[in-house]
Every structure is written in C-alpha cells, then in structure tokens.
Amino acid sequence: MSMSKPVPPFPQLAMSLTPPEEPADGRVRRIKDLTLFFFSAVLLAVIVGFSLWLLSSSCVLEEDRRWATSTLTAVFGGVLGWLIKR
C-alpha cells in the first residue's frame, strides 16, 4: 500500500429527529388518552366499591356475594395483568 495515494474520506451520516405527529395532534391524543384513563379508573373504582359494599353488607343474598366475589376476582386479575403486561 502506497502512502502517496490520498485516503478517501469516511462517509458522513446526517440525521434529524422529527416528531411523528403534529404538536396539535399530539395534544388532542394525550387529552383523549387521559380522559379515557381517568374515566376507566373512576368506573373501576365504582365497581370495586360496590362489590366491596356487597361483601360487607349483612342483608345481601348469597348469590349477590358470589357475583361480587367473581367481579372482584376479574377486576384484580385484569389490573394485575395490565401491570405485568402478560
């Protein structure tokens, strides 16, 4: 290899980061996602609260207690699955 030949320059790589969505679209999406999340959280809290009230009440039929128990099991299983992501 001869040192008299010039070495070609390394290729240059140019990169730019652009957001995948417009800022206004992102704002609308975030508001929609947060609204849906909080509405779901309130609905879940109402269902869990009602089921716990049914389980702690003394004047409730046994069939209603079974319904409340299975509802709580499904809710807690769903929340656990959402947290673990499996």
Side-chain angles (χ1 to χ4, degrees):
M1 178 176 241
S2 173
M3 296 301 277
S4 62
K5 290 183 179 178
V7 177
F10 290 105
Q12 298 294 321
L13 179 63
M15 297 176 70
S16 67
L17 296 174
T18 57
E21 62 188 356
E22 295 294 323
D25 292 338
R27 184 172 183 271
V28 169
R29 181 187 50 79
R30 284 187 293 276
I31 289 172
K32 182 186 72 165
D33 289 347
L34 285 174
T35 302
L36 181 64
F37 175 78
F38 286 122
F39 178 74
S40 301
V42 167
L43 184 64
L44 189 66
V46 167
I47 291 172
V48 168
F50 183 66
S51 296
L52 289 174
W53 176 76
L54 278 175
L55 288 176
S56 65
S57 181
S58 62
C59 61
V60 177
L61 297 174
E62 188 61 34
E63 181 180 336
D64 290 337
R65 288 182 191 269
R66 283 191 300 244
W67 172 86
T69 304
S70 63
T71 301
L72 285 176
T73 303
V75 166
F76 287 128
V79 168
L80 186 64
W82 180 70
L83 290 173
I84 295 176
K85 302 282 190 221
R86 282 194 172 189

